Amino acid sequence: KALGAGWEGRRLPPLRRRCRMPHPYAWVKLKQNGDQERTVTPRAGHTLTPMAKGFMMFGGMDGRRNDQGNPAPNSDLFVLKLGAQRTYQWESIELDAASQVPPARTLHSAVSTSADEIFVFGGMHSAMPYQSLQDGWILDTSCMEWKRQHFKALPTGRQGSVARRMAGLIQDRHKDEADRRNSSGKTRLSKARASVSDSRGSLASLSFSSLAGAATRAVHDKSGFRTTLNGALIGA
């Protein structure tokens, strides 16, 4: 049977035909619709989160500078909508003047936590001087409103604790571990004190007469061993 033949003696198609994908990957450049003046500027370090209303873009750096002339991030908020015929459109989100707005940032994290909410955390607020952020914000896309999130502070005296959750520390586990460490420490201390007490009691029970008797027996046993050894050598 020829190499590459099938079970019924029929040849299989060439490898390149057998491995051909039904829909090969290919990059397709989209065309922009809408107002060209209100599009997103070229940028880096932003986030793009898929939501029901579109892809929400927040923050990043696009070459703008602060009052000192240093590169600075921004707090821009846009929504990207994909259309038919391989098109897309950017829409700027206008927030209420009285609403809260997160500080400008780049290299932050963003993730959707529900169908309408996006959680944003951290990022870099300034490169010169370097300033990073540790705040959290929720964007409600149903009304386009930002809400500042407040985290519970780490309790004092909890060094080395690593079990945490978003609502706070898991207190029970740390309490059990602390109680276990205290119990084992007390047990070791009690054993050490008992050992010291036994040693002191043994030393106190020894008298001068008992020590002298022990020394005499040791000398006598040593002399008898020498006598027996000498006799054995002479007899030989």
Side-chain angles (χ1 to χ4, degrees):
K1 187 179 292 186
L3 181 64
W7 289 105
E8 298 178 358
R10 294 176 297 180
R11 289 183 176 274
L12 297 175
L15 182 62
R16 62 178 181 275
R17 291 176 56 188
R18 282 182 282 149
C19 297
R20 184 177 299 172
M21 299 178 62
H23 302 287
Y25 291 105
W27 286 102
V28 177
K29 187 175 182 180
L30 306 182
K31 297 180 181 180
Q32 182 177 359
N33 288 340
D35 188 359
Q36 301 289 333
E37 299 296 330
R38 297 175 64 84
T39 187
V40 173
T41 56
R43 66 186 58 218
H46 56 282
T47 52
L48 196 64
T49 310
M51 301 296 292
K53 293 188 175 182
F55 294 86
M56 305 300 301
M57 191 219 71
F58 173 66
M61 297 185 70
D62 62 353
R64 279 176 261 183
R65 296 179 177 272
N66 55 21
D67 297 336
Q68 290 74 32
N70 299 320
N74 56 73
S75 57
D76 294 347
L77 186 61
F78 282 80
V79 58
L80 171 65
K81 295 183 177 181
L82 302 180
Q85 303 299 323
R86 298 178 177 179
T87 60
Y88 69 94
Q89 181 178 351
W90 286 105
E91 293 182 6
S92 177
I93 305 299
E94 301 295 338
L95 300 176
D96 187 89
S99 65
Q100 300 184 79
V101 179
R105 66 194 62 208
T106 185
L107 301 176
H108 51 281
S109 299
V111 62
S112 59
T113 56
S114 68
D116 299 319
E117 293 183 335
I118 300 175
F119 175 68
V120 175
F121 176 76
M124 186 175 66
H125 179 64
S126 173
M128 299 176 62
Y130 179 80
Q131 181 183 357
S132 59
L133 301 170
Q134 59 176 359
D135 54 346
W137 294 78
I138 290 288
L139 174 64
D140 189 347
T141 59
S142 62
C143 58
M144 292 302 171
E145 181 182 0
W146 286 102
K147 301 176 183 178
R148 176 72 182 271
Q149 302 300 299
H150 299 279
F151 305 107
K152 290 186 178 181
L154 179 66
T156 59
R158 298 287 183 182
Q159 297 181 359
S161 58
V162 295
R164 296 183 176 89
R165 56 189 174 189
M166 217 159 180
L169 291 176
I170 303 177
Q171 301 286 358
D172 296 339
R173 178 175 179 181
H174 299 307
K175 184 177 184 301
D176 294 340
E177 291 178 356
D179 294 341
R180 192 181 303 112
R181 288 195 297 267
N182 293 336
S183 177
S184 61
K186 291 180 180 179
T187 302
R188 289 195 298 268
L189 181 59
S190 300
K191 290 182 178 179
R193 288 178 176 175
S195 177
V196 172
S197 299
D198 294 341
S199 300
R200 290 178 177 177
S202 300
L203 292 176
S205 61
L206 293 177
S207 61
F208 178 77
S209 58
S210 60
L211 291 176
T216 302
R217 287 193 298 270
V219 172
H220 177 73
D221 294 341
K222 187 175 181 181
S223 300
F225 174 76
R226 287 181 178 178
T227 303
T228 304
L229 181 60
N230 292 333
L233 290 176
I234 295 172

